[in-house]
Amino acid sequence: MKYLLLTIFFFTMIKTNAQDQFRVLLFTQHDTWHYNTIPVAVEAFKEMAAENQFKFDWTQRSDDLIEKLPEYDVVIFMNANANFLTSKHMDALKIFMKRGGGFVGIHGTADGENDNAWFDGLVGAKFVNHPKLQAAIVKVENADFPATWHLPKKWLRSDEWYNFENMNLDKLNILMTVDEASYDFTAGYDDIPLKGMGSEHPISWYQEYEGGRSFYTALGHKPESFKDKNFLNHIFGAIYWTSNK
């Protein structure tokens, strides 16, 4: 009987520790372009957490960055940016990073209207514009990283191909680029043609930042992305790395 109780206790502790391997908070903001992605993404993250045994919570309340963020290892900004963050919210995020927190930015996180040099640095770049949603070829530039281990060297997918500014390539470790020859980068939403970024057009990267770890991917515009196993493993690899375990 004593052996049985010890065995049950042992396996219970293994399960508990596995579920707590890291704690992840998803932060989203409602907007005109991505609101229909939120429920699909939340369900996908719940399934990811159950499959990989980590703690997951979701909030759209900015004050949770002040009240709850200290309880987590990783915060994910999915199509959320600094537009609606006050100085107190930013201070909470800065403290989180300085204590070794992990930041994962997805798609619209780079698209902030306010000038915020610290947050732009955290993301790694600032959104300028994008052409109409199109299929294009993504090239994996660094396959020796958890967010790209599983991906083919060339990955055909449809998304919004963001153009960026304020990108410090000396600090960023580029994971993926998009081949501008594989889509019409001039095709904007009016008669004025857009300009691309040239032969090197980064769309995903990672960096050490202010004591913590930061990852960003421009992918993830449509809800269908959060049903794509390759994309979800891309995000899980980022969570794993930024958790700093």
Side-chain angles (χ1 to χ4, degrees):
M1 184 65 179
K2 182 178 179 181
Y3 174 78
L4 177 61
L5 291 173
L6 286 172
T7 302
I8 293 172
F9 175 77
F10 175 73
F11 282 106
T12 300
M13 287 301 296
I14 288 177
K15 184 176 181 181
T16 301
N17 290 337
Q19 288 175 338
D20 291 338
Q21 62 173 321
F22 36 79
R23 298 157 296 175
V24 177
L25 179 66
L26 172 66
F27 176 57
T28 63
Q29 291 171 333
H30 185 93
D31 64 26
T32 302
W33 303 278
H34 306 109
Y35 70 92
N36 58 342
T37 301
I38 292 173
V40 180
V42 170
E43 288 305 310
F45 278 115
K46 286 180 179 177
E47 293 177 7
M48 183 191 298
E51 179 180 352
N52 295 286
Q53 295 186 308
F54 62 85
K55 177 179 172 58
F56 167 76
D57 288 306
W58 165 54
T59 185
Q60 297 196 96
R61 184 173 175 267
S62 299
D63 282 353
D64 281 343
L65 298 178
I66 300 171
E67 299 168 10
K68 294 185 178 181
L69 194 53
E71 303 170 12
Y72 294 87
D73 302 301
V74 177
V75 62
I76 302 172
F77 273 49
M78 192 199 78
N79 297 319
N81 50 56
N83 285 351
F84 302 102
L85 301 185
T86 67
S87 58
K88 290 184 178 180
H89 299 135
M90 292 303 304
D91 287 344
L93 194 53
K94 290 176 182 179
I95 291 170
F96 173 75
M97 294 303 294
K98 285 180 180 177
R99 73 164 173 84
F103 176 88
V104 174
I106 300 175
H107 195 57
T109 301
D111 182 12
E113 296 176 1
N114 299 335
D115 291 329
N116 191 314
W118 187 89
F119 189 82
D120 292 346
L122 173 66
V123 175
K126 191 173 183 65
F127 166 86
V128 176
N129 54 36
H130 66 76
K132 294 177 180 179
L133 188 144
Q134 302 171 60
I137 296 173
V138 173
K139 296 189 292 185
V140 174
E141 305 291 348
N142 180 358
D144 190 21
F145 189 80
T148 52
W149 282 338
H150 64 291
L151 293 176
K153 292 187 68 174
K154 292 186 177 181
W155 183 20
L156 179 63
R157 61 171 285 120
S158 298
D159 219 306
E160 288 182 336
W161 306 110
Y162 278 13
N163 296 311
F164 300 100
E165 62 182 4
N166 299 346
M167 181 178 288
N168 189 341
L169 294 176
D170 291 334
K171 292 185 177 181
L172 301 180
N173 300 285
I174 304 303
L175 291 171
M176 302 191 303
T177 60
V178 60
D179 182 359
E180 289 191 352
S182 68
Y183 69 102
D184 185 358
F185 60 82
T186 68
Y189 288 87
D190 52 35
D191 294 332
I192 302 174
L194 300 182
K195 296 180 180 179
M197 294 183 66
S199 59
E200 295 296 325
H201 186 151
I203 57 167
S204 181
W205 52 79
Y206 69 95
Q207 61 175 321
E208 305 279 345
Y209 192 77
E210 298 281 327
R213 290 181 167 189
S214 171
F215 166 93
Y216 173 79
T217 183
L219 304 180
H221 173 66
K222 298 187 73 176
E224 287 78 8
S225 291
F226 292 88
K227 298 178 182 179
D228 179 347
K229 193 67 175 176
N230 272 340
F231 176 77
L232 292 173
N233 284 336
H234 178 54
I235 300 302
F236 178 62
I239 293 171
Y240 171 79
W241 182 78
T242 58
S243 70
N244 203 18
K245 296 298 184 183

